[in-house]
Amino acid sequence: FRGIRHVVFDEADMLLDGSFSRDVDLILDALKLTRRRLIQQETIPVHFKLVQFIVSAATMPSSGLKSIQLTIAKKFPTAVKVSVDHFHMHHPAISQQYIPCDMPLLSPARIQLLITAIRARTPHAFAPLDEMRVS
């Protein structure tokens, strides 16, 4: 743990709540112990932040027993919250189109239909698809 400088908790709403929370606590405890030892050995100063934590999730429940925001505030008291407009919503500047398809999910015909649709709408962005073969 001595060389770790960044820890990313992606899907934090799942990792910090429920069956994974014990594993996360073990990791955090190991990192705290490592930091304490480095301070005792005078390898790093007392106020030096050894590890940066990045906590991300599409949803962050904020009420009730499953308040991930309260859990984050407890485990990471100096956390800075970053969010964006239209988070978890359709952004008005992005157009979406849907192609109904009754074929099996991974059938070659369905994949070919998707490739054809992508090529028709954005031919320059998906040049590598030209080399793709569906069988």
Side-chain angles (χ1 to χ4, degrees), residues 53 55 72-73 75-82:
F53 296 98
V55 179
I72 290 170
K75 292 183 187 300
F76 309 99
T78 60
V80 175
K81 183 178 179 181
V82 178

Side-chain angles (χ1 to χ4, degrees), residues 94-133:
I94 299 173
S95 66
Q96 294 183 2
Q97 296 178 347
Y98 303 92
I99 302 170
C101 182
D102 295 331
M103 295 172 229
L105 183 62
L106 295 178
S107 72
R110 184 179 188 142
I111 295 170
Q112 191 61 52
L113 178 67
L114 176 61
I115 292 170
T116 302
I118 291 171
R119 280 188 185 139
R121 286 164 181 79
T122 54
H124 61 283
F126 291 92
L129 290 178
D130 290 335
E131 298 169 13
M132 184 181 284
R133 299 285 179 252

Side-chain angles (χ1 to χ4, degrees), residues 1-2 4-5 25-51 75:
F1 286 88
R2 185 178 210 144
I4 295 174
R5 296 296 175 261
D25 287 341
L26 289 172
I27 292 168
L28 293 175
D29 289 345
L31 290 167
K32 286 178 191 175
L33 180 62
T34 300
R35 183 176 180 274
R36 278 190 211 120
R37 286 185 180 153
L38 290 173
I39 291 170
Q40 289 169 349
Q41 297 167 357
E42 298 181 357
T43 306
I44 62 171
V46 173
H47 299 292
F48 184 77
K49 298 291 182 194
L50 186 64
V51 178
K75 292 183 187 300

Side-chain angles (χ1 to χ4, degrees), residues 60-74:
M60 292 277 192
S62 61
S63 62
L65 295 174
K66 292 189 173 196
S67 175
I68 297 305
Q69 291 182 24
L70 288 176
T71 302
I72 290 170
K74 181 180 174 186

